[in-house]
């Protein structure tokens, strides 16, 4: 097992070094930092950002917005899934709207939201809207795939609606809920950043991405992009760890 892990780490390290070298060679070939900065220039720009208080204010504010939208989206998706699974009328009313939300480009929602609310709230709403359809669809799909033998058993033993919900439907839908939460995190993060780029709230990573582009500060643009990628990976790992811990507690 240790040997396998060491081989995997070595392969990952070689892959990263390869792409960094390719990036460096491309930057040398272009020869213009304005178009393509080198990895060293980006690291230097990132180091300059890390020592400023505004960097941390922007970063934590963005994280708070995205996580707020993410949590609101999960709660909304669970409520909508319960409604659509328990009532044919609710299903016929709500399902088309949720599917329309999933199919509509996020930029359209951002522009509309800017007409209706303060720009600081737009990223929260966009993160929430991207989470709801993904989590809802996964829960509903797992609910519909519930083992019919279990339902027959529940009918034979005269389970109440609550018992059926607690001991059959919830365990059946939980894997879909977990998968939906994992998938939705990346969408929430990307849509939240995109909303910040367009709405430009006072404290936001997306606003800084936009300003870097406007003022032609390409190394800073790459540095902020690296921050977005790193934070996305870290948050997804934390969410995954939390979900698997939840699974472990559920099985105890």
């Amino acid at each position: 097992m240790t040997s396998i892990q060491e081989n995997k780490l070595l392969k990952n390290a070689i892959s990263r070094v390869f792409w960094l070298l390719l990036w460096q060679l491309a930057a040398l070939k272009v020869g213009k930092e304005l178009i393509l900065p080198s990895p060293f220039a980006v690291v230097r720009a990132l180091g300059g950002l890390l020592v400023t208080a505004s960097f941390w204010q922007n970063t934590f504010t963005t994280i708070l917005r995205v996580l707020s939208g993410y949590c609101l989206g999960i709660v909304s998706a669970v409520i909508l899934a319960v409604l659509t699974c328990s009532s044919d009328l609710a299903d016929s009313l709500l399902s088309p709207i949720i599917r329309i939300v999933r199919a509509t480009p996020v930029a359209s929602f951002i522009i509309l939201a800017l007409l209706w609310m303060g720009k600081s709230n737009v990223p929260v709403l966009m993160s929430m809207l991207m989470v709801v359809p993904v989590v809802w669809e996964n829960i509903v799909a797992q609910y519909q795939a519930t083992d019919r033998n279990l339902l027959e058993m529940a009918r034979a033993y005269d389970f109440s609606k609550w018992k059926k919900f607690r001991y059959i439907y919830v365990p059946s839908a939980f894997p879909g809920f977990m998968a939906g939460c994992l998938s939705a995190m990346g969408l929430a993060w990307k849509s939240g950043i995109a909303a910040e780029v367009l709405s430009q709230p006072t404290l936001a990573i997306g606003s800084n991405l936009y300003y870097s582009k406007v003022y032609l500060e390409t190394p800073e643009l790459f540095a902020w992009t690296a921050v977005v990628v790193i934070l996305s990976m870290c948050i997804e790992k934390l969410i995954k760890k939390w979900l698997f811990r939840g699974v472990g507690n559920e099985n105890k």
Side-chain angles (χ1 to χ4, degrees):
M1 183 63 70
T2 303
S3 177
I4 293 173
Q5 290 176 343
E6 288 176 352
N7 288 336
K8 188 176 180 180
L9 289 172
L10 180 61
K11 287 179 181 178
N12 288 337
I14 292 172
S15 174
R16 284 165 175 74
V17 170
F18 169 79
W19 288 111
L20 284 172
L21 285 174
L22 190 63
W23 178 6
Q24 176 64 27
L25 290 172
L28 290 172
K29 179 68 175 177
V30 172
K32 293 181 180 179
E33 193 173 89
L34 179 63
I35 298 174
L36 182 63
S38 68
F40 300 104
V42 174
V43 170
R44 189 165 57 247
L46 182 59
L49 292 173
L50 289 172
V51 297
T52 62
S54 62
F55 169 83
W56 297 104
Q57 290 173 336
N58 284 285
T59 300
F60 285 124
T61 304
T62 291
I63 292 173
L64 182 61
R65 286 195 189 104
V66 172
L67 289 181
S68 297
Y70 178 72
C71 293
L72 286 171
I74 289 176
V75 172
S76 301
V78 171
I79 293 171
L80 290 170
V82 171
L83 289 173
T84 54
C85 289
S86 59
S87 168
D88 291 337
L89 176 61
D91 183 46
S92 62
L93 290 174
L94 297 173
S95 295
I97 300 300
I98 298 171
R99 292 191 172 96
I100 288 171
V101 169
R102 179 164 189 168
T104 305
V106 66
S108 300
F109 282 123
I110 294 170
I111 294 168
L112 288 171
L114 284 170
L115 300 174
W116 300 333
M117 62 179 61
K119 56 187 180 181
S120 294
N121 296 320
V122 173
V124 178
L125 178 62
M126 292 307 105
S127 297
M128 185 185 105
L129 286 177
M130 293 303 105
V131 169
V132 169
V134 177
V135 177
W136 171 84
E137 191 168 1
N138 277 270
I139 293 174
V140 171
Q142 289 293 91
Y143 167 84
Q144 292 172 345
T146 301
D147 190 343
R148 298 301 165 190
N149 292 326
L150 291 176
L151 294 176
E152 287 294 333
M153 180 203 69
R155 193 176 297 112
Y157 285 95
D158 197 24
F159 274 25
S160 65
K161 286 185 178 180
W162 168 249
K163 267 189 162 183
K164 202 183 292 186
F165 174 78
R166 172 68 181 85
Y167 295 108
I168 296 178
Y169 286 123
V170 170
S172 296
F174 189 77
F177 168 77
M178 185 175 69
C181 289
L182 286 173
S183 301
M185 184 65 247
L187 290 172
W189 183 252
K190 287 186 286 189
S191 59
I193 297 294
E196 288 183 342
V197 171
L198 292 179
S199 62
Q200 297 165 42
T202 306
L203 293 173
I205 291 176
S207 298
N208 283 278
L209 281 168
Y210 178 79
Y211 298 145
S212 299
K213 175 257 183 185
V214 169
Y215 297 117
L216 302 178
E217 296 171 343
T218 311
E220 283 200 8
L221 177 61
F222 273 69
W224 279 111
T225 303
V227 169
V228 171
V229 173
I230 292 168
L231 285 175
S232 177
M233 293 170 64
C234 291
I235 291 173
E236 283 190 11
K237 283 186 177 180
L238 288 173
I239 295 294
K240 189 173 183 179
K241 185 177 179 181
W242 171 74
L243 285 172
F244 278 125
R245 181 179 296 173
V247 173
N249 291 336
E250 185 75 18
N251 292 332
K252 285 181 181 179

